[in-house]
Amino acid sequence: MSINNHTIKFTEFEKKVLEIVSTIPLGQTHSYKWVAQKAGRPRAVRAVGQVLKKNPFPLLIPCHRVIKNNGSLGGYSLGCKVKKSLLDLEKFITHS
DNA sequence: ATCATGACTAATG
DNA sequence: CCATTAGCCATGA
């Protein structure tokens, strides 16, 4: 039994974005814009989306905590329903 | 090098 | 509140 030694190639931009998203604490949410800014590319908002869409480890990297600037959900690789559920759950947890 | 692709945003009707 | 629109950008083909 072995785990394939796949080498995942990351772009600097990707690494930065993923890293940043990883820092978002439980129960909190931020916009794609926010991430873009933190990554030093204030306008690369759509690009951020691209990265999150390819997110290798959903759940491990809390990309579900990233929503639109206007407050609406935005998308999610595993489905918006899941995203919403997770956010509700986390809100519930941190609110208890 | 060029082009299409979005998990976006801000502005407008 | 909904629809459309132009601007913007890192990627991959």
Side-chain angles (χ1 to χ4, degrees):
Chain A
M1 199 50 146
S2 69
I3 297 179
N4 298 338
N5 54 342
H6 285 313
T7 297
I8 307 178
K9 163 188 174 185
F10 290 103
T11 306
E12 284 307 311
F13 182 66
E14 287 178 292
K15 280 191 271 188
K16 202 158 226 172
V17 170
L18 296 175
E19 180 201 42
I20 292 173
V21 174
S22 302
T23 71
I24 304 177
L26 187 89
Q28 281 201 222
T29 66
H30 282 299
S31 65
Y32 295 88
K33 188 182 185 181
W34 180 87
V35 178
Q37 289 174 159
K38 274 245 165 193
R41 305 256 99 85
R43 279 153 290 174
V45 183
R46 296 182 92 167
V48 170
Q50 296 291 349
V51 176
L52 296 187
K53 154 167 111 172
K54 298 172 194 163
N55 181 4
F57 321 102
L59 290 178
L60 195 60
I61 296 179
C63 52
H64 58 276
R65 316 231 173 93
V66 184
I67 63 182
K68 289 202 186 182
N69 197 46
N70 58 23
S72 54
L73 266 189
Y76 191 56
S77 55
L78 304 184
C80 302
K81 301 204 64 177
V82 180
K83 183 169 184 177
K84 182 169 170 29
S85 301
L86 288 171
L87 291 176
D88 287 339
L89 174 62
E90 296 189 352
K91 186 171 294 183
F92 172 74
I93 295 177
T94 61
H95 233 281
S96 298

